[in-house]
Amino acid sequence: MASIVGGFCLPHDPLITGATDAADPQQAGVVLEAFGAVRKRIESLRADTAIVIGDDHFAMFGTGCQPSILIGIGDLEGPIEPWLRIPRRAVANHAPLAEHIMRFGFERGFDWAVAKTLSLDHSTMVPAHLALPHGVRMIPVYVAAGMTPLIRTQRCRELGAMMGEAVAAWPGEERVVILGTGGISHWVGMAEMGRVNAEFDRRILAMVERGDVEGLVALGDEHVLENGGNGAWEVRNWIVAMAALPRCKGKVIAYEPVAPWITGLGFAELVA
């Protein structure tokens, strides 16, 4: 049967590729080396498929329709933002496994939005470009973590647990990794934009290290907004990834508070 052989929490900040030179070269080097370390680890895990958890930023779905959860089961391409300096390309999906996860979720009360074709934004394409080895297929899952109304953090935990069970129920021999992307502290389009709260970020990373999913779930949105900004609501994506690996602990790979990239950037491997 298939199995989730590893997981990672990592950023998807579009400025990493779109404005690389804006950051201090030493900090930029640490961040890019961390992505390289994740890539090497995924190679060593012999993963063939990555479930990448991202969130929309009014780039994909707009104000007309904002799904709470969405899975891409068909043709993928991206990124849709030309300024990312990532060549736009077709992205290989694992459609049969994606459809299986979709059906598994439907049967357990998860009313996904489903995309049979999908143009991807930076939240999945930046980590895919920097961290996924050549040949690893991607199944994108988007949750409402980037703007209100937000998906409940408890539902994110349930979603991750369900996807872990879905992969385990797949009869193939796939080796899957799951990537929770985004964060940590950043204030998007707010007066505090450019602020990074390293103390808050390190507290979040310490919770990841302990495998404290319930602690992350219990963080109130107002507390997160005050201390980590609206961008830190993306910890929801990390919750999904952690919940897919029951009883996981985290091993921090790197952390850099990069003010020119307006974000505190954390990396951690999830170890069962």
Side-chain angles (χ1 to χ4, degrees):
M1 67 180 183
S3 60
I4 296 181
V5 296
F8 300 87
C9 298
L10 73 175
H12 64 224
D13 186 341
L15 299 178
I16 297 169
T17 60
T20 306
D21 296 341
D24 175 82
Q26 182 176 1
Q27 286 193 303
V30 170
V31 170
L32 294 174
E33 286 176 12
F35 274 111
V38 172
R39 178 188 290 263
K40 289 179 182 177
R41 181 61 179 145
I42 293 173
E43 288 175 345
S44 72
L45 290 167
R46 296 182 289 111
D48 54 66
T49 303
I51 300 172
V52 183
I53 314 300
D55 57 284
D56 184 34
H57 303 79
F58 284 126
M60 298 175 60
F61 310 119
T63 57
C65 180
Q66 280 292 317
S68 180
I69 54 173
L70 176 142
I71 186 167
I73 64 168
D75 294 336
L76 309 174
E77 63 90 27
I80 57 178
E81 305 103 325
W83 53 270
L84 290 181
R85 298 194 291 188
I86 298 174
R88 191 157 181 165
R89 62 181 176 86
V91 177
N93 194 350
H94 189 329
L97 179 56
E99 290 187 19
H100 163 77
I101 295 170
M102 175 196 72
R103 290 192 299 269
F104 194 95
F106 281 152
E107 291 166 1
R108 286 153 183 82
F110 289 84
D111 295 322
W112 307 89
V114 178
K116 294 185 177 180
T117 62
L118 191 60
S119 295
L120 304 168
D121 80 336
H122 69 267
S123 69
T124 53
M125 285 302 295
V126 167
H129 178 68
L130 295 174
L132 292 187
H134 179 72
V136 174
R137 294 166 289 185
M138 179 169 69
I139 298 174
V141 172
Y142 281 78
V143 301
M147 61 198 75
T148 57
L150 299 163
I151 186 173
R152 293 179 297 113
T153 52
Q154 177 67 21
R155 192 56 167 167
C156 290
R157 185 191 64 77
E158 295 165 356
L159 175 65
M162 180 276 291
M163 288 198 294
E165 294 170 3
V167 171
W170 176 249
E173 297 297 325
E174 282 79 359
R175 297 176 63 84
V176 179
V177 292
I178 186 163
L179 277 56
T181 80
I184 311 174
S185 66
H186 57 302
W187 282 256
V188 182
M190 302 181 71
E192 301 95 327
M193 189 165 175
R195 175 188 172 197
V196 175
N197 187 347
E199 180 181 357
F200 173 83
D201 293 343
R202 291 190 174 98
R203 183 156 62 91
I204 295 296
L205 287 169
M207 295 170 78
V208 174
E209 283 189 300
R210 296 193 300 270
D212 187 7
V213 178
E214 293 304 325
L216 293 172
V217 167
L219 289 172
D221 289 338
E222 288 301 319
H223 174 80
V224 172
L225 179 63
E226 179 180 354
N227 293 277
N230 56 345
W233 285 334
E234 290 174 338
V235 74
R236 286 165 163 77
N237 303 345
W238 292 23
I239 290 170
V240 175
M242 292 174 68
L245 287 161
R247 298 174 297 280
C248 71
K249 302 289 185 180
K251 180 180 178 182
V252 173
I253 298 169
Y255 171 74
E256 285 293 329
V258 186
W261 290 345
I262 69 166
T263 308
L265 305 167
F267 297 77
E269 180 175 4
L270 306 176
V271 182

